[in-house]
Amino acid sequence: MLRSLVGSEMCIRDSINAEYGKCEPPTMSDELALLNYVQFKAWLIEQGVEKAEADACPGKVELYQCADKHGYTPDIAPGMLERLKGTFRKVDTNDSGQIDADELMEILKLFFKGAAVDMVQKQVTKLIDTYDKNANGVLEFPEFVEMVHYGDFWRRFDFQIPIALQEAVVSLAKGEPIAASAASKVAEATEVAEEAQEDADAAAVNAEQEVAEAAAATAKAEQEAQEAAEAADRAAQEEQEAAEAAAAADIERQEAEAAEEKVEEAVAELEAAQESGDAEAIAEAEAAVEQAEEVAAVEAAEADAAEEVAAVEAVEAAEAKDEALEEAAEAVVADQAAKEEVAEAAEAVAEQEAAEAVAAAAVAEKEQLEAAAAANDAADANAELEAAVEDGDEEAIAEAEAKVEVAEEIAAVEAAEADVAEEVAAEEAEEAVEAAEVAEEAAVEAAEAAEAVEAEKIEAVEAVEAAQEAQEIAAVEQAEADAAADVAVEERAEADAAEEKVEEAVAELEAAQESGDAEAIAEAEAAVEQAEEVAAVEAAEADAAEEVAAVEAVEAVEAAEVAQEAAEVAAEEVSEAAPIEQAEADAAADVAEVAEIAQEAAEEAVTTE
């Protein structure tokens, strides 16, 4: 299509061509740059631009802006660069590939007709000094392009193109890639912002669900805590009633025992009366015994009944205590679960805030790009106004002024929106930081709750281990006490045996003294002395062994008491930890059941589909 649209009518009809020669046949790379308004609009429509959008462009500049919006500037810029090369060749009259001061002087004379020669010469010198980057006194093509662009000579050389296309040509002349157009940047930023908003919306849905679950878990934890408190109150009440019943049973038993003592006293009086033979006294005593026995029977029955009541109250108190422990355990597990849910919800909210901050930042970037694009449009409108003023076309000036006014209003609005978007982005970023801090605190609380529950179970395990260790120590102490007692018994037996030998030796001494045998007496006295020495030693050893046995017995008793206390502590810790583990198991079972139901529902849905 392009080749059918180009022909002799596409020659560059400007002052440069008229002054320096005819146009050359265009190549494929510059065909787009040579299309007239109608042809270029047709090309844009063929590329997919809506006809109404193309028809809304009153001139070539607006068509180029439309093309830039749709990302076609990279397709147009190479042709514009070729056109500019053609212009450079026409200014370079000696075909040196460089523009010297004389050649630049000639073209500026055309631009500034009527100006003094020395003023034009000063302008030539200034331009070469400004854009001659390698300081060789002439302008190569890249330097010439910079002069055209930064010196605002585009319209002088009959290039009616917007800033975005100008900058693309400059980039190509420098051998640099064409930067994305403002419109394409806005489009890309818009897509990024939309994706970020989608992520933020998804995060918001997830956060809403997590917050709802956290609220439900918190409500459940509060309910469990209330039920635990009520159970604790019931247990305390049952314990008090059990204590009162036990106290009442003790009183009844004491009264029964007192009645039994009166029966014994009455029986003793009856026996005394029977010994005296006093019939009247016997009859009174028998009546007293009968009455005492009836009272004792009643008191015994009341004591038995009171003890039964106390036993029932004790059982109910124990059951209430177990129930309170179970409720407390469920409350602990529910509180832990609630804290975990709150932590997850806080994390979800933090992710939502972070996503919203990202979305706000993306929107702010988009708004900034739109503001920059609007500023470029305003600059293009001002350039058109300047050109219209130079041409002196009043109608064109009026149109250009109207365009400038609209473009500057749009630029102001876009700038204001960009400022607002930046403020929103800053606020969202701050909220994201705060939400992250809240999430971190919630995570710490959840971890502490989990650690507390785990510590409760660990304490139970450690208490059981301590009780077992105390029991082992008590067993060892008891064994040592038994062994010491056995030794003490053996030592006392030996001491008794030694004492018996002393008695035997004394008896022999007395017999010898009665016989008057001096030699026998001496031997008997020596035997007594020896037996007494042995008996003293044995007695001392027996005393020492008994002291050791007594000490060991005391230590065994103390170890047994420690073991008993440890066993009670272990029982208490286990009674507290066991319900927690059971509650955790029940909670896990509930979760598994819900997951199974969800899985079955999902499978059923797939099957139905």
Side-chain angles (χ1 to χ4, degrees), residues 547-590:
E547 289 178 2
V548 171
V551 171
E552 292 291 346
V554 170
E555 292 178 352
V557 169
E558 292 175 349
E561 291 175 351
V562 170
Q564 180 63 29
E565 291 175 359
E568 291 175 357
V569 171
E572 184 70 20
E573 293 290 346
V574 169
S575 66
E576 293 176 358
I580 292 177
E581 293 181 350
Q582 184 60 47
E584 289 178 335
D586 293 341
D590 292 340

Side-chain angles (χ1 to χ4, degrees), residues 18-201:
E19 186 72 21
Y20 289 100
K22 300 177 181 179
C23 66
E24 298 177 357
T27 64
M28 278 300 293
S29 63
D30 59 10
E31 285 177 351
L32 287 176
L34 298 174
L35 296 179
N36 62 26
Y37 170 82
V38 174
Q39 294 164 336
F40 189 67
K41 183 169 72 172
W43 180 81
L44 283 178
I45 295 173
E46 183 180 277
Q47 303 309 306
V49 176
E50 293 292 335
K51 185 175 184 302
E53 183 180 359
D55 289 340
C57 299
K60 281 283 290 291
V61 173
E62 289 77 14
L63 285 177
Y64 286 139
Q65 290 173 336
C66 178
D68 183 64
K69 175 183 177 182
H70 292 278
Y72 296 128
T73 293
D75 298 319
I76 305 168
M80 287 295 174
L81 181 65
E82 291 302 318
R83 274 192 59 194
L84 197 55
K85 286 181 180 178
T87 300
F88 178 82
R89 286 192 294 270
K90 292 175 179 61
V91 176
D92 179 21
T93 56
N94 61 5
D95 294 329
S96 65
Q98 301 169 331
I99 295 177
D100 56 28
D102 293 337
E103 292 168 333
L104 190 57
M105 182 71 177
E106 292 300 319
I107 191 62
L108 290 187
K109 284 180 182 179
L110 292 176
F111 291 161
F112 305 110
K113 290 180 180 180
V117 175
D118 59 342
M119 290 182 62
V120 176
Q121 185 63 52
K122 288 180 180 179
Q123 185 67 18
V124 169
T125 303
K126 180 179 179 181
L127 289 173
I128 292 178
D129 290 343
T130 301
Y131 298 105
D132 180 19
K133 301 300 182 182
N134 56 9
N136 62 354
V138 294
L139 298 179
E140 281 82 10
F141 179 66
E143 297 169 338
F144 172 74
V145 173
E146 288 196 1
M147 182 198 77
V148 171
H149 182 61
Y150 297 109
D152 197 19
F153 285 99
W154 288 102
R155 294 183 182 278
R156 298 282 186 181
F157 288 108
D158 199 30
F159 281 83
Q160 306 293 328
I161 60 177
I163 292 176
L165 185 53
Q166 294 174 11
E167 292 177 348
V169 172
V170 172
S171 295
L172 288 178
K174 293 180 178 180
E176 299 173 353
I178 298 176
S181 67
S184 62
K185 288 179 180 178
V186 170
E188 182 179 355
T190 300
E191 183 178 354
V192 171
E194 290 174 352
E195 292 177 355
Q197 189 58 51
E198 289 177 1
D199 293 341
D201 293 340

Side-chain angles (χ1 to χ4, degrees), residues 161-369:
I161 60 177
I163 292 176
L165 185 53
Q166 294 174 11
E167 292 177 348
V169 172
V170 172
S171 295
L172 288 178
K174 293 180 178 180
E176 299 173 353
I178 298 176
S181 67
S184 62
K185 288 179 180 178
V186 170
E188 182 179 355
T190 300
E191 183 178 354
V192 171
E194 290 174 352
E195 292 177 355
Q197 189 58 51
E198 289 177 1
D199 293 341
D201 293 340
V205 171
N206 181 58
E208 183 178 0
Q209 179 179 355
E210 291 290 348
V211 169
E213 292 177 357
T218 301
K220 181 180 179 182
E222 291 174 352
Q223 180 181 356
E224 293 288 351
Q226 182 178 356
E227 292 177 357
E230 292 173 355
D233 291 340
R234 288 195 300 272
Q237 181 65 28
E238 291 290 346
E239 185 177 1
Q240 182 179 356
E241 292 177 358
E244 292 174 355
D250 288 340
I251 292 172
E252 291 291 343
R253 182 56 62 190
Q254 290 173 5
E255 291 177 354
E257 291 174 353
E260 191 63 33
E261 290 177 357
K262 289 183 178 180
V263 170
E264 292 176 357
E265 291 175 357
V267 169
E269 290 179 1
L270 175 59
E271 290 175 354
Q274 288 173 343
E275 288 179 1
S276 67
D278 186 344
E280 185 179 354
I282 291 172
E284 291 178 357
E286 287 176 348
V289 167
E290 183 178 357
Q291 183 181 2
E293 286 178 346
E294 289 176 358
V295 172
V298 171
E299 291 291 346
E302 290 178 352
D304 292 340
E307 288 175 348
E308 289 178 1
V309 170
V312 171
E313 291 290 346
V315 170
E316 292 178 353
E319 292 175 351
K321 181 179 180 181
D322 292 340
E323 182 182 353
L325 288 173
E326 291 175 1
E327 292 290 347
E330 291 176 359
V332 168
V333 172
D335 181 67
Q336 178 189 354
K339 283 186 169 60
E340 289 176 355
E341 290 291 347
V342 169
E344 291 176 2
E347 183 179 0
V349 170
E351 290 175 356
Q352 175 193 355
E353 293 291 347
E356 289 178 353
V358 170
V363 170
E365 183 176 0
K366 177 181 78 72
E367 293 291 347
Q368 285 289 347
L369 291 172

Side-chain angles (χ1 to χ4, degrees), residues 3 431 490:
R3 291 190 177 280
E431 290 177 0
E490 293 176 359

